[in-house]
């Protein structure tokens, strides 16, 4: 049973719209807070969208997700889990990432993640754009000393070669970079939900050549999502695995507030069932990225994002 | 065949956006109007959200639903029904409920419903938040002298014990209250679509103990909605039954404008097919609640709500 | 291989939000541009909503679709097609249609279409409301000398008799008019997705009497969309066929920005799978109509419309 | 003292958001209602925008203004007037104007206005676009047998020659048409607030030649609005005068929901002070036009429009 | 010089959109935090709108104002003040007020304020609707043992007698109640900006009879705001004074997000100049109320509210 | 008289919402178009916001301003100017600036501007964020060989030292940088409208030390805008001068769609009068920056921006 310190206030004691909004109303622990030593899972924001090739705004994601997530209650009705009792979970704050200097921004994020991993905290990152994920992957690789697997739920593979002249990292290529840098074991990587127009086949070709298992949306819909997730579990197996959830995985009707929406995606029910199917894997870190509040309508994307965060946190627990 | 007085003007005679907006362009009959004596089904608004625990705004629901419902035409294409010819239906106006005094508000609503029932009008209530339903249930119980059944389409059971210190009624507990007060026969109550995080299992436990049949969303999706509604029909049988439709039953992509949205719900097609499956039951009253216009986007929630109202009215007819 | 002149700039060379927005970033060719002689498929706008019976705004459709369509990339991932390489496609601009004089507006549009057909360009029309389609059908009939088939994806049949006193054309009757004028061979017309309340059965009755195959949404959902499209292909066969896509075919959660939304429709995935199933037909023209930007939320309707346009253009190619 | 029948319910008896929304909660009297005989001032809607050259939507104006106007209370604090006690005022409903046939639409409106004038009701018209005003001017001319004066508060003169090829009436030329048809005495016409880019000087030239007094915004700001209205009163004198208020008179920050906004206009305080300065004139009719709800934000334009309507009605009273 | 603990992080160290949002990025101190003993000015939220007679939503005010206020920088450019250095200021969190029980809600708020005053903290309350102010006035009265003065910037006097049947408190009468209870010395009360329609003159009459100085908007505009504030200073003099700022004081173009907007108000520049003119008074408490985020557009009301909060805090300092 | 090639189509020939949207419907001339040789004033977009410290989105500015500017007509009513006849003006397109590499982005912009200046085209730049201005200043300096003057209308001085660790350029310091690099003669620089909270006085101090004339908003309001612009004209005199207009100069009620709004600014009328007062200066280039469409409401900011662009272009003409 968790330390009562780590239990969020109930909506019947403090209305959900009241109070300073931390992730899921969990305690906020600044960098030097001694309670950090007791944290099992740490949620932190990387409020940065400097690698976004199209519509910006994901820098505002952590703020909006904190706000929406105050509507999350204690229990996962579907699974019976009480995640905030089963583990000590905390809001570790946001990283100060420069909006105008990519190198500095990435280094700040990596330094922060290094600290989190150094305290044996399971990292849950809230983006920010998808390049933010690379900072977590790099530090996990450094901390663990070996490559690990990946489950990616997304409408894009993010396996493209560098855009815009070749010298820069963007939100279109973190996983290619992570494979190249040895963070990910490509044969234990699985990606589902890919769709939309593409520049060419270079991302799929790269994946195929490296052994990444890619399930385009047509295959997902044909198989059904239960089967998709069975494939995913087979690909990653029992070994350490990272889970990344790009909100643009879900159809824009359910998640309009994102930078690069692609029509023809799964519903929110399907998306959540995918997340639940991850339970039991050896998840060493996870993220929810690409929520872009300026393009959200009435907050439905943030609320979906907060709901997915909750399910991911449950899936990270036994 | 209905009295021509009760036929709404066609959109080809008076454009749908024109005219003083009553529900479905039906005649508005004030409390003392003698034509009330001829009414079969009476639609009225309870513009009140004083029991809302999170995002308010459902007090503006009847206004927005009147506006949207002017887009409803004469015929139900799917069933071939002409509901405004088959029965005399009218807009009975809204009840003056105090926004700042719950006791007074509930009593005003009950007095109004008493009058409606006293004229042998089948009540169709438009909320307002879900506590408004309790006023109708109480008066139906008083008028009929015995408990009746319930079909609830919702994402919440509304079977929670009192919130916020125990003394007050909220939109989280009308059905528990109605069972306790003997309005509802719990063994003839069925609830479908439940999902989202929960405080605990006290609502499910209470339902189980009393004999309420609850179908969480996972069971609904597993069974398919046809089977769900077959279960519902079996539970309520041929005896008198009330139908309550909370707009948050539908996924927030389809119904963002509500106070307590829960992701992972049915589509609008599924929702409407559920309503159609109610036809033939002995429906003694119905409602559509929790449309909150300030959180709606471009009016899609109101339009869905108006469409559901039309289908409910058709389902109440032979 | 297409003339490089006709290739849109890549998003990695010029960010998608940059530049004067033409349809899919294709070259804009004014009426007198000699490059028009080389065009295979010509996209043009009919920015007109003068026949709209309810919510106006479709006149702003071409502008919003140009903007959204700049997010379209080169390749159709699902089919492997590179449509801008396989054919010379261009933006032919918009027609100057009087917003205040219906006769003049329709004549302007027909004159423009006549010019397009005279240059052997396959027409792709972007509406505007659905009456705009009639101008294309009339000129195709004139140019080809015989009636042709139709695939209509829509929530309405648009087979109603004239509204508002009988003298005028509206967006509720273009296909009845086109059958009456001998443009369409009714026995080779198929319409899928019909739903929502109706005035009466006169449109279905007319269709039945003429031999039009109408698939209401209930039949579509029952059959599945694969079967629906098989029916469609059987009805139109190998002979010349026009394809019309009304954005209100899709559920309002996916396409709120339209004049006459009807709840209970297909998802964006289903809609796109329908379009893909058209490939291989002898398509002699196509359109995407009824996107109404003033009622759109965060542009999701425009983005869906642009995605459908891309799929339609691919389906028009071998 | 007015008949109590004509007093709107107080917000303390029936909350303002409750009830079927008529203009200012006044009684709605259908065409054949005998109470019409007792009406002093009749408010009616012309929900039509068929003459709009740019952004449509004013057809939805009367609906939105009815909704917003339910927030109006009994007393004009600034003047001490109780307008609903001083005169019998009623909502006469909307005219069924064809959205697709201009001739028919204008004739319907004129027939309605004829009936209103025939009952000696002072007409207050709610648009709709500005061409709607012409129908009132024509019937006032017919009923009175002589030309009358005009006060126009607007950002445009609406004195342009016919647009779009010369044959049609648009919202850019009602007052030129009204002068040509002898409805208005140009030497008793005054127009204030003109600004924005123009096609040319033909409207100003026409006004100058006919003797219309035009005050461009620069002159208004230089003089101050008190002086502007003094000029206006001098121009129209004691003789019969019509007052037309185009909501685009006010700056778009205060009134974004309109078809042809022009920046650099007066504030809402200035606009209202102009209306108050009209009191004491011999006002024979008035209107509020060009509120376009699809372009409104959070309803501020409708609320301003409803407030202006109230002030105009007060100004029409001694 | 303030304790560095109380200095908010600079936007150049941590981007403004990053981090858990407290008021103006000041430290959040929970009820039992020992640092509270060092606080000079305490900002807290009363997230409650249970006394709202029209459009609800002010319960979401504190959350939105925390978010917007993170854009506030260190220095007041106009006055040269560095308020966070001149005093120890902190975010004391929100009070848990029952949304469904008015008595309980008010008592919770008063208990909280009692605690704040007991620690000699100058209270700055963030609403919530205007009835929230009464809880602060009552506790200030209790703590100080005598009545005090008031400066109210508002479009309403809030001096109405009880609404809705007479038994209840609403946001239309806190100041009448406060005078009746002896909290306020009416002869040292000044109210400016009053406008809009009214029920009757009972509020003005009551004020006049008690000696409250009311400046309707017409007088304010006539005098100029400098003179208005000079009057205000004369009325309250050097003795203890409370300042209440209702965001509906400002015109709805600048502050659309509020429950009871009234057109014809001051600009944001004028509003801020009024606040600055308060400097030097003996301010014993202040508030900013009635920001209603569901009716806000793009957050301009929240941003204005946060800016006003900053100016008020500066005005409370020497 | 201008070449007819350069005249935009009238709204009476082609409705304003029709056609591919170029700036003010002027001809779009790609980089290699020979007609560029005849251009007098060239409008181009720098769709880049990579130096934005707070809310991003200005990268979408040129697209939105092209769209809104199609509502601009031929004549400046206030001045009688016909700017499109008096000079050959064209849309030169947007520069391909990398969203993820600041150095590359700035160099691309400078190369483009170099080309424009090399063709003796007077540059009118449309941002993008305010750092974009630096690229124009640098190239003007290089082309002219000497420093020049500046009129800046803005709510910020943009004279801050580098943010975020000192190594990078941001939208907070372009003018300091331009002074340091010798582009601007600080003694001929004037800045008006400064307001809002500040980090400290370092920007004002720097300006004072260098001789820049800064007029904070309080001084502007005190003097009146006519006097402000007289000061501005005196500071810059007859020598070459650049004009930069940041849309956040105007109050957020008029211009909500910007990254760093500051309340308490001028109205749109005042803003436009300031621009008109520039006529007759030796303007060697101008810009309109910081319009951020994702934060705009109903497009009022874009429309104001387009109106300001038109006035600036007029002011650049004799």
């Amino acid at each position: 049973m968790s330390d009562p310190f780590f239990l969020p206030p109930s909506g019947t004691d403090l209305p959900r719209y009241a109070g300073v909004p931390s992730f899921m109303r969990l305690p906020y622990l600044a960098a030097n807070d001694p309670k950090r030593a007791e944290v099992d899972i740490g949620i932190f924001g990387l409020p940065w969208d400097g690698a976004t090739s199209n519509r910006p705004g994901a820098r505002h994601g952590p703020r909006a997700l904190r706000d929406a997530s105050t509507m999350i209650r204690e229990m996962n009705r579907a699974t019976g889990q009480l995640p905030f009792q089963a583990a000590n979970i905390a809001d570790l704050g946001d990283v100060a990432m420069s909006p105008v200097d990519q190198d500095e921004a990435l280094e700040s994020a990596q330094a922060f993640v290094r600290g989190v991993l150094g305290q044996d905290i399971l990292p849950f990152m809230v983006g920010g754009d998808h390049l933010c994920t690379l900072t977590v992957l790099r530090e996990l690789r450094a901390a663990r000393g070996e490559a690990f697997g990946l489950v990616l739920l997304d409408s894009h593979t993010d396996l493209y070669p560098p855009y815009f002249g070749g010298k820069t990292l963007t939100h279109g290529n973190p996983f290619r970079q992570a494979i190249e840098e040895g963070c990910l074991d490509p044969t234990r990587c699985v990606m589902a939900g890919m769709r939309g127009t593409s520049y060419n086949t270079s991302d799929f070709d790269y994946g195929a050549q490296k052994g990444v298992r890619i399930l385009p949306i047509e295959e997902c819909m044909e198989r059904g999502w239960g089967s998709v997730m069975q494939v995913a579990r087979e690909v990653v197996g029992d070994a350490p695995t990272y889970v990344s959830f790009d909100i643009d995985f879900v159809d824009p009707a359910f998640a309009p507030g994102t930078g690069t929406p692609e029509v023809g995606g799964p519903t929110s029910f399907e998306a959540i069932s995918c997340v639940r199917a991850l339970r039991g894997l050896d998840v060493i870190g996870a993220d929810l990225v690409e929520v872009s509040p300026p393009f959200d309508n009435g907050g439905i994307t943030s609320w979906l994002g907060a709901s997915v965060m909750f399910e991911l946190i449950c899936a990270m627990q036994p």
Side-chain angles (χ1 to χ4, degrees), chain A residues 110-199:
Chain A
Q110 288 187 225
F112 183 95
V113 176
R114 216 174 298 139
V116 168
L117 298 178
Q119 286 189 296
D120 272 328
I121 298 173
L122 200 56
F124 190 104
M125 186 270 281
V126 179
D129 71 30
H130 223 149
L131 188 57
C132 295
T133 299
L134 184 60
T135 68
V136 186
L137 300 181
R138 280 173 169 171
E139 292 301 324
L140 279 169
R141 173 66 181 78
R144 307 183 70 90
E146 54 180 6
F148 41 87
L150 171 79
V151 178
L152 174 67
L153 298 171
D154 198 338
S155 66
H156 311 94
T157 62
D158 294 357
L159 287 174
Y160 278 100
Y163 289 3
F164 298 112
K167 309 187 289 295
T168 50
L169 294 168
T170 75
H171 72 158
N173 49 28
F175 298 110
R176 185 172 188 136
Q177 194 68 25
I179 290 172
E180 292 299 312
E181 296 183 10
C183 307
L184 296 172
D185 170 357
T187 65
R188 291 189 49 248
C189 289
V190 59
M191 301 179 162
M194 282 68 215
R195 61 187 188 272
T197 56
S198 64
Y199 292 109

Side-chain angles (χ1 to χ4, degrees), chain A residues 41 76 79 81 83 122 124 233 243 272 274-283 286 308-318:
Chain A
I41 301 177
N76 187 325
T79 65
Q81 288 172 288
L122 200 56
F124 190 104
R233 295 183 68 101
V243 178
I272 278 177
C274 289
V275 174
R276 286 196 189 133
L278 297 169
R279 196 167 168 200
L281 295 183
D282 180 14
V283 178
V308 168
M309 284 174 63
F310 179 78
E311 295 290 344
L312 274 167
I313 284 168
C314 288
M316 291 162 84
Q317 298 189 1

